[in-house]
Amino acid sequence: MRNRNEYTYDVLVIGGGPAGIAAACAAAPHARVAIVDENPALGGQIWRNSFPARQSHPSGPWHNRLQQTQATRLHGLRVFDAPAFNTLHAEAPDGLHILRYNKLILATGARERFLPFPGWTLRNVIGAGGLQAMVKSGLPVAGKRIVVAGSGPLLLAVAAFLKSHGAQVVAVCEQAPPRQLAHFATSIVAYPSKISQAVQYRTQLAAVPYRIGWWPVTAHGKSQVESVTLTNGARRLTLDCDFLACGFHLVPNTELPALLGCSLHNGFVAVDSLQQASVPNVFCAGEITGIGGLDKSLIEGSIAGYASTGQNSPARKLFAKRNKALGFAAAMERAFAPRPELRRLPAPQTTVCRCEDVAHELLQQHDSWRSAKLHTRCGMGPCQGRVCGAATEFLYGWPGESIRPPILPVRFDTLAEAEKPTAQH
Amino acid sequence: MSSNCDAIVLGAGIVGAACAMELAHAGMSVTVVEPGVIGGGATAAGMGHIVVMDDSPAQLAFTHYSQQLWHVLAPQLPPAAEYETPGTIWVAADEVEMQEVARKQSIYVTRGLPVRVLDSHALLHEEPHLRPGLAGGLLVSSDAVLYPPVAADYLLQQALSSGASLIRQAALQAGEGKACLANGDILSSPRIINALGAAAPSLAPGLPVHPRKGHLVITDRAPGFVRHQLVELGYVRSAGSGTADSVAFNVQPRKTGQVLIGSSRQYNAHDKSVDHQILQRMMQQTRRYMPGIDKLSVLRTWTGFRAATPDKLPLIGPHPADPTLFLATGHEGLGITTALATGKLIRHILTGSGSEIPVEPYLPARAFHPTTETAHA
Amino acid sequence: MPDAITITVNGAPVQVPSGVTVAVALTLLNEPCRTSVTGQPRGPLCAMGICYECRVTIDRISNRLACQTLCVPGMEVSTHA
Ligand SMILES: Cc1cc2nc3c(=O)[nH]c(=O)nc-3n(C[C@H](O)[C@H](O)[C@H](O)COP(=O)(O)OP(=O)(O)OC[C@H]3O[C@@H](n4cnc5c(N)ncnc54)[C@H](O)[C@@H]3O)c2cc1C
Ligand SMILES: Cc1cc2nc3c(=O)[nH]c(=O)nc-3n(C[C@H](O)[C@H](O)[C@H](O)COP(=O)(O)OP(=O)(O)OC[C@H]3O[C@@H](n4cnc5c(N)ncnc54)[C@H](O)[C@@H]3O)c2cc1C
Ligand code: FES
């Protein structure tokens, strides 16, 4: 039998991205705190493989702050169930970890939204953040021709990152209509840090065409992508490439809060001013309460960390900053909303559910996610709808389904052990 | 609005769909009433094991007859119905259970079923992932497996293409020749069939049908890990218990290569959520028989409600208190297996066509005693 | 290759840079991670443990996520489920 580990903390933080790190930093001086993440190291999406980093890196001060606390770091643990009062179960390569808490802070972040179009299942068609993560994990891209397409501020960040690693970024194509984006550009005047970041990306990408109002319609290739056709609705353009890095902004990882019974609003966890969710003793911070980027995650994480340990006055001092970040998040949500034309991207035979290879034409015959799922196997594979769920919601207007344990695939013995009988059996 | 037809079928689970198909094939005008996804009730939760069982002579006759109907229908089912005939192995842990193997074998042989007794060695040969040291088993090679919601949809499509119609509404009331729907419409018919599964009492108060909750677990694809449906013979004891919660080793190979794992039975459990205690007991029982299953990856767990009756036989036929109301419910853990036979019996009862098996054991009148009625009031 | 380590992919020994994930190694070798249920070759999509497109058999344990697993010398990777 594999290991069985049990821990109890005053404050348990799930998610080791900026929001979780900030939460742990704020709570740790006043409580026994642990921060849990499924990756081999903390950092989340943006600070992946850069935590710890050089002192000049934005994560540097946070790393130092966390170092100075007694917070326990638990890496490589994937939380999959919430089987009993104030208890979570996580799986690691060595087996089951049972995590008990008094207060819980969820900062599980976001994933990319993927939308199906012909050819999107070819190899080397990969998420924009996905390709960035691959490069951070050692994939050399020097000299590779890469088209970055889809939506969201992530596209520019990724393009700049790829270029700095020697890639030949052929084009960056943002689906949002120019007018929608112009509004956004004016509205971010209120956020100087965002402007300087945008200017920085644009400078880094000086020679790279940034096509606003363009989106991919077909990826071509035999087994891996060789070129991609893009359109702006009026014209078409085909570009040769070795990789198509493509994601349509972000969707929150709300499976764990939903399993715990936290109310959602418009797909995000609903929280009060102290970041408390509808379930007692549960706080939520970062992308799961609204896609807002680094500043919002850090501020909300800090508020949650303070509030979870009763430090309400330092928490309140951050409200003004948070309001600003929320304003930016709202502007971003509007700016990068997927345009209706994207609903027409899949051809009848285009695969929508990649785990079970379910085609668009089969799904169109159904009127709900559950009907489609039961009759076509859409969403029944190992990703459990994490990829196709966001697509079917956008394409067909189907809200997702109720959540059940395990929220991630786990080994049979982990789940069987997890359910270890209590004394009466 | 009000409309007339020869028969109304309430509920499009696999049982209602089979009834609708038979009645439509008999030339009746049929209206099916179902608010949800076709086959989205217990039918979507069930394992889809098409199995001959012999708890009683009536159960044996019914399951065997229905299984033969499935064998005939099988070539017409769409591929997504995932119909296969892997057979069942009733696994005997010890010599006591081997006596049950012998008893079962003698009964199945008299019905002409293809059975083979396996000793300890032969059992491991058939199923290498079982724990060594089990006493043996009985292989029944005619038992099948299918994917119930798709099969239910196929049956309903047969009904619709023979002229039946489908109304996507919930029925709020049924009886005295009328069914009232949630949108205010009233349907009239001299024959209203309640095929609501475990929800049947909601439209037939006093019906002695109880929900019996079950849990299932499914793994990722692991082709060849299990080759037959494997059921412990201890199951005979646990499924028989009328009150206590129970679990049994019961695993099924899906055509996809996935392993579907049952089974649990709980009374007085009405909420759909996964009960970690009983799930744990079920999984621990599975590991005791198949230690190697530890390494497989679990994708999902879910629950469903069987419609249980006091004597473990379904209720098929007229409601004793209302000659316009007919019941097709109470199939407990065998409604997938016996859906087709239920359709045939309903057709026989409503049209007077001949029946290949006697209907008496399944008629609802037997279950309506004053005592049970008050118990459910 | 500086700092190369040897792993086997579908039985054949290959050299990959040390410190990379299995998903990166397979991409460098131009190998799909898996074959989909209708027979299409697939590679990583999300690279963050969400999509399960990168699942491979590692040291005879199936369904491991290549994007979440670092290569170690002697590791046996199989892309045929
Ligand atoms: C793929 C991707 C790439 C991105 N790249 C950039 C970029 O280059 N620049 C930029 O400005 N912004 C980027 N972003 C946006 C960035 O995520 C946000 O700006 C911000 O960092 C979010 O912080 P967070 O703490 O809320 O979430 P995250 O940083 O996403 O952290 C959440 C953490 O929780 C972990 N987790 C989730 N569920 C579980 C579980 N059940 N068990 C254990 N651990 C779990 C996740 O693995 C992750 O490490 C990216 C986003 C994504 C999805
Ligand atoms: C865990 C588990 C495992 C099982 N395994 C097997 C097995 O291996 N083999 C086997 O043969 N059987 C098995 N069964 C039993 C089998 O699933 C059921 O007996 C069978 O599905 C019953 O079908 P049904 O059509 O009667 O009920 P249901 O499928 O529940 O259908 C009833 C329908 O009525 C509808 N309805 C409800 N209320 C109304 C209303 N007011 N108006 C209109 N419609 C309404 C519902 O929406 C539903 O679609 C299992 C059951 C469970 C729970
Ligand atoms: S690439 Fe998506 S899980 Fe590995």
Side-chain angles (χ1 to χ4, degrees), chain A residues 78 114 126 130 134 387, chain C residues 23 33 43-55 64-68:
Chain A
R78 309 190 88 191
F114 296 108
I126 181 169
M134 291 276 282
V387 174
Chain C
C33 292
L45 174 68
C46 72
M48 57 181 278
I50 293 280
C51 74
Y52 286 74
E53 282 286 30
C54 67
R55 56 197 199 276
R64 299 276 307 270
L65 296 182
C67 73
Q68 302 291 86

mmCIF file of all heavy atoms in Angstrom, chain A residues 78 114 126 130 134 387, chain C residues 23 33 43-55 64-68, ligand 3:
data_model
loop_
_atom_site.group_PDB
_atom_site.id
_atom_site.type_symbol
_atom_site.label_atom_id
_atom_site.label_comp_id
_atom_site.label_asym_id
_atom_site.label_seq_id
_atom_site.Cartn_x
_atom_site.Cartn_y
_atom_site.Cartn_z
ATOM 1 N N ARG A 78 -2.263 17.147 -6.023
ATOM 2 C CA ARG A 78 -3.465 17.581 -6.738
ATOM 3 C C ARG A 78 -4.677 17.312 -5.867
ATOM 4 O O ARG A 78 -4.972 16.153 -5.547
ATOM 5 C CB ARG A 78 -3.637 16.798 -8.043
ATOM 6 C CG ARG A 78 -2.406 16.767 -8.924
ATOM 7 C CD ARG A 78 -2.743 16.191 -10.296
ATOM 8 N NE ARG A 78 -3.183 17.257 -11.168
ATOM 9 C CZ ARG A 78 -3.751 17.062 -12.357
ATOM 10 N NH1 ARG A 78 -3.995 15.844 -12.787
ATOM 11 N NH2 ARG A 78 -4.096 18.093 -13.090
ATOM 12 N N PHE A 114 -10.206 27.024 -25.089
ATOM 13 C CA PHE A 114 -9.895 26.503 -26.421
ATOM 14 C C PHE A 114 -11.185 26.404 -27.214
ATOM 15 O O PHE A 114 -12.178 25.880 -26.717
ATOM 16 C CB PHE A 114 -9.242 25.127 -26.320
ATOM 17 C CG PHE A 114 -7.913 25.154 -25.624
ATOM 18 C CD1 PHE A 114 -7.760 24.628 -24.360
ATOM 19 C CD2 PHE A 114 -6.814 25.735 -26.252
ATOM 20 C CE1 PHE A 114 -6.530 24.672 -23.714
ATOM 21 C CE2 PHE A 114 -5.577 25.779 -25.615
ATOM 22 C CZ PHE A 114 -5.433 25.248 -24.341
ATOM 23 N N ILE A 126 -1.213 24.412 -30.269
ATOM 24 C CA ILE A 126 -1.080 24.286 -28.823
ATOM 25 C C ILE A 126 -1.530 25.594 -28.192
ATOM 26 O O ILE A 126 -1.560 26.625 -28.873
ATOM 27 C CB ILE A 126 0.394 23.904 -28.515
ATOM 28 C CG1 ILE A 126 0.650 23.716 -27.029
ATOM 29 C CG2 ILE A 126 1.377 24.877 -29.104
ATOM 30 C CD1 ILE A 126 2.015 23.088 -26.762
ATOM 31 N N GLY A 130 0.123 27.473 -23.259
ATOM 32 C CA GLY A 130 0.650 26.112 -23.329
ATOM 33 C C GLY A 130 2.037 26.081 -23.953
ATOM 34 O O GLY A 130 2.953 25.452 -23.420
ATOM 35 N N MET A 134 5.605 25.070 -22.307
ATOM 36 C CA MET A 134 6.521 24.079 -22.892
ATOM 37 C C MET A 134 7.933 24.670 -23.000
ATOM 38 O O MET A 134 8.927 23.978 -22.741
ATOM 39 C CB MET A 134 6.041 23.669 -24.287
ATOM 40 C CG MET A 134 4.763 22.856 -24.281
ATOM 41 S SD MET A 134 5.030 21.095 -24.007
ATOM 42 C CE MET A 134 5.590 20.592 -25.647
ATOM 43 N N VAL A 387 -11.840 20.958 -21.198
ATOM 44 C CA VAL A 387 -11.545 21.622 -22.473
ATOM 45 C C VAL A 387 -12.848 21.850 -23.246
ATOM 46 O O VAL A 387 -13.191 22.978 -23.594
ATOM 47 C CB VAL A 387 -10.537 20.801 -23.304
ATOM 48 C CG1 VAL A 387 -10.363 21.418 -24.687
ATOM 49 C CG2 VAL A 387 -9.198 20.744 -22.578
ATOM 50 N N ALA C 23 6.793 15.712 -22.309
ATOM 51 C CA ALA C 23 6.083 16.349 -23.424
ATOM 52 C C ALA C 23 7.064 17.094 -24.333
ATOM 53 O O ALA C 23 6.971 17.028 -25.564
ATOM 54 C CB ALA C 23 5.020 17.313 -22.903
ATOM 55 N N CYS C 33 2.116 12.098 -28.637
ATOM 56 C CA CYS C 33 2.021 11.520 -27.292
ATOM 57 C C CYS C 33 1.087 10.317 -27.293
ATOM 58 O O CYS C 33 1.312 9.344 -26.597
ATOM 59 C CB CYS C 33 1.489 12.547 -26.300
ATOM 60 S SG CYS C 33 2.639 13.894 -25.982
ATOM 61 N N GLY C 43 -0.754 15.607 -29.722
ATOM 62 C CA GLY C 43 0.337 16.108 -28.894
ATOM 63 C C GLY C 43 -0.218 17.042 -27.842
ATOM 64 O O GLY C 43 -1.431 17.244 -27.757
ATOM 65 N N PRO C 44 0.675 17.653 -27.051
ATOM 66 C CA PRO C 44 0.232 18.520 -25.958
ATOM 67 C C PRO C 44 -0.627 19.682 -26.449
ATOM 68 O O PRO C 44 -0.398 20.222 -27.527
ATOM 69 C CB PRO C 44 1.541 19.070 -25.371
ATOM 70 C CG PRO C 44 2.620 18.189 -25.893
ATOM 71 C CD PRO C 44 2.139 17.564 -27.149
ATOM 72 N N LEU C 45 -1.607 20.061 -25.639
ATOM 73 C CA LEU C 45 -2.445 21.217 -25.953
ATOM 74 C C LEU C 45 -2.285 22.298 -24.874
ATOM 75 O O LEU C 45 -1.981 23.441 -25.171
ATOM 76 C CB LEU C 45 -3.913 20.800 -26.057
ATOM 77 C CG LEU C 45 -4.917 21.943 -26.249
ATOM 78 C CD1 LEU C 45 -4.740 22.590 -27.622
ATOM 79 C CD2 LEU C 45 -6.352 21.450 -26.091
ATOM 80 N N CYS C 46 -2.506 21.922 -23.618
ATOM 81 C CA CYS C 46 -2.531 22.957 -22.566
ATOM 82 C C CYS C 46 -1.192 23.079 -21.851
ATOM 83 O O CYS C 46 -0.868 24.132 -21.321
ATOM 84 C CB CYS C 46 -3.622 22.637 -21.547
ATOM 85 S SG CYS C 46 -3.235 21.244 -20.471
ATOM 86 N N ALA C 47 -0.448 21.990 -21.798
ATOM 87 C CA ALA C 47 0.845 21.936 -21.097
ATOM 88 C C ALA C 47 0.731 22.291 -19.618
ATOM 89 O O ALA C 47 1.703 22.679 -18.992
ATOM 90 C CB ALA C 47 1.890 22.826 -21.791
ATOM 91 N N MET C 48 -0.462 22.181 -19.050
ATOM 92 C CA MET C 48 -0.606 22.466 -17.619
ATOM 93 C C MET C 48 -1.482 21.451 -16.898
ATOM 94 O O MET C 48 -2.069 21.762 -15.861
ATOM 95 C CB MET C 48 -1.106 23.894 -17.411
ATOM 96 C CG MET C 48 -2.410 24.216 -18.097
ATOM 97 S SD MET C 48 -2.963 25.941 -17.837
ATOM 98 C CE MET C 48 -3.716 25.793 -16.239
ATOM 99 N N GLY C 49 -1.598 20.244 -17.452
ATOM 100 C CA GLY C 49 -2.272 19.185 -16.694
ATOM 101 C C GLY C 49 -3.784 19.219 -16.747
ATOM 102 O O GLY C 49 -4.445 18.595 -15.927
ATOM 103 N N ILE C 50 -4.336 19.930 -17.710
ATOM 104 C CA ILE C 50 -5.789 20.080 -17.793
ATOM 105 C C ILE C 50 -6.387 19.159 -18.858
ATOM 106 O O ILE C 50 -7.410 18.528 -18.639
ATOM 107 C CB ILE C 50 -6.144 21.545 -18.165
ATOM 108 C CG1 ILE C 50 -5.766 22.504 -17.034
ATOM 109 C CG2 ILE C 50 -7.597 21.674 -18.559
ATOM 110 C CD1 ILE C 50 -6.745 22.568 -15.897
ATOM 111 N N CYS C 51 -5.757 19.107 -20.044
ATOM 112 C CA CYS C 51 -6.438 18.544 -21.217
ATOM 113 C C CYS C 51 -6.236 17.040 -21.382
ATOM 114 O O CYS C 51 -6.980 16.394 -22.099
ATOM 115 C CB CYS C 51 -5.986 19.269 -22.483
ATOM 116 S SG CYS C 51 -4.311 18.830 -23.016
ATOM 117 N N TYR C 52 -5.226 16.475 -20.780
ATOM 118 C CA TYR C 52 -4.949 15.032 -20.869
ATOM 119 C C TYR C 52 -4.621 14.557 -22.285
ATOM 120 O O TYR C 52 -4.666 13.361 -22.571
ATOM 121 C CB TYR C 52 -6.102 14.206 -20.270
ATOM 122 C CG TYR C 52 -6.103 14.273 -18.762
ATOM 123 C CD1 TYR C 52 -6.529 15.423 -18.100
ATOM 124 C CD2 TYR C 52 -5.614 13.229 -17.996
ATOM 125 C CE1 TYR C 52 -6.478 15.529 -16.730
ATOM 126 C CE2 TYR C 52 -5.559 13.324 -16.615
ATOM 127 C CZ TYR C 52 -5.992 14.470 -15.994
ATOM 128 O OH TYR C 52 -5.932 14.576 -14.621
ATOM 129 N N GLU C 53 -4.307 15.479 -23.190
ATOM 130 C CA GLU C 53 -3.904 15.073 -24.540
ATOM 131 C C GLU C 53 -2.506 14.457 -24.551
ATOM 132 O O GLU C 53 -2.141 13.762 -25.473
ATOM 133 C CB GLU C 53 -3.916 16.284 -25.489
ATOM 134 C CG GLU C 53 -5.292 16.687 -25.978
ATOM 135 C CD GLU C 53 -5.865 15.729 -27.018
ATOM 136 O OE1 GLU C 53 -5.561 14.531 -26.989
ATOM 137 O OE2 GLU C 53 -6.635 16.206 -27.864
ATOM 138 N N CYS C 54 -1.740 14.722 -23.521
ATOM 139 C CA CYS C 54 -0.331 14.308 -23.541
ATOM 140 C C CYS C 54 -0.121 12.999 -22.795
ATOM 141 O O CYS C 54 1.001 12.672 -22.455
ATOM 142 C CB CYS C 54 0.522 15.402 -22.918
ATOM 143 S SG CYS C 54 0.200 15.609 -21.159
ATOM 144 N N ARG C 55 -1.183 12.242 -22.512
ATOM 145 C CA ARG C 55 -0.959 11.094 -21.645
ATOM 146 C C ARG C 55 -0.231 9.969 -22.360
ATOM 147 O O ARG C 55 -0.515 9.651 -23.514
ATOM 148 C CB ARG C 55 -2.222 10.623 -20.966
ATOM 149 C CG ARG C 55 -3.351 10.285 -21.839
ATOM 150 C CD ARG C 55 -4.623 10.258 -20.968
ATOM 151 N NE ARG C 55 -5.677 9.519 -21.626
ATOM 152 C CZ ARG C 55 -6.490 10.053 -22.519
ATOM 153 N NH1 ARG C 55 -6.339 11.317 -22.880
ATOM 154 N NH2 ARG C 55 -7.422 9.323 -23.087
ATOM 155 N N ARG C 64 -0.052 8.613 -17.682
ATOM 156 C CA ARG C 64 0.745 9.653 -17.019
ATOM 157 C C ARG C 64 0.765 10.884 -17.910
ATOM 158 O O ARG C 64 0.817 10.778 -19.137
ATOM 159 C CB ARG C 64 2.190 9.158 -16.794
ATOM 160 C CG ARG C 64 2.292 7.916 -15.909
ATOM 161 C CD ARG C 64 2.288 8.235 -14.427
ATOM 162 N NE ARG C 64 3.298 9.220 -14.065
ATOM 163 C CZ ARG C 64 4.563 8.916 -13.703
ATOM 164 N NH1 ARG C 64 4.961 7.667 -13.687
ATOM 165 N NH2 ARG C 64 5.408 9.867 -13.356
ATOM 166 N N LEU C 65 0.759 12.058 -17.300
ATOM 167 C CA LEU C 65 0.765 13.285 -18.086
ATOM 168 C C LEU C 65 2.199 13.671 -18.446
ATOM 169 O O LEU C 65 3.012 13.984 -17.575
ATOM 170 C CB LEU C 65 0.093 14.416 -17.308
ATOM 171 C CG LEU C 65 -1.388 14.208 -17.016
ATOM 172 C CD1 LEU C 65 -1.970 15.403 -16.280
ATOM 173 C CD2 LEU C 65 -2.163 13.950 -18.306
ATOM 174 N N ALA C 66 2.487 13.650 -19.752
ATOM 175 C CA ALA C 66 3.844 13.943 -20.207
ATOM 176 C C ALA C 66 4.242 15.377 -19.884
ATOM 177 O O ALA C 66 5.406 15.663 -19.634
ATOM 178 C CB ALA C 66 3.952 13.684 -21.714
ATOM 179 N N CYS C 67 3.264 16.293 -19.861
ATOM 180 C CA CYS C 67 3.614 17.701 -19.619
ATOM 181 C C CYS C 67 3.922 17.977 -18.165
ATOM 182 O O CYS C 67 4.437 19.034 -17.832
ATOM 183 C CB CYS C 67 2.494 18.624 -20.111
ATOM 184 S SG CYS C 67 1.011 18.622 -19.080
ATOM 185 N N GLN C 68 3.574 17.046 -17.277
ATOM 186 C CA GLN C 68 3.782 17.272 -15.846
ATOM 187 C C GLN C 68 4.911 16.389 -15.310
ATOM 188 O O GLN C 68 5.100 16.301 -14.104
ATOM 189 C CB GLN C 68 2.493 16.961 -15.057
ATOM 190 C CG GLN C 68 1.273 17.741 -15.465
ATOM 191 C CD GLN C 68 1.363 19.205 -15.110
ATOM 192 O OE1 GLN C 68 1.904 20.004 -15.875
ATOM 193 N NE2 GLN C 68 0.866 19.562 -13.955
HETATM 194 S S1 FES D 3 -0.776 18.906 -22.412
HETATM 195 FE FE1 FES D 3 -2.705 19.146 -21.453
HETATM 196 S S2 FES D 3 -2.472 17.781 -19.796
HETATM 197 FE FE2 FES D 3 -0.523 17.704 -20.653
#
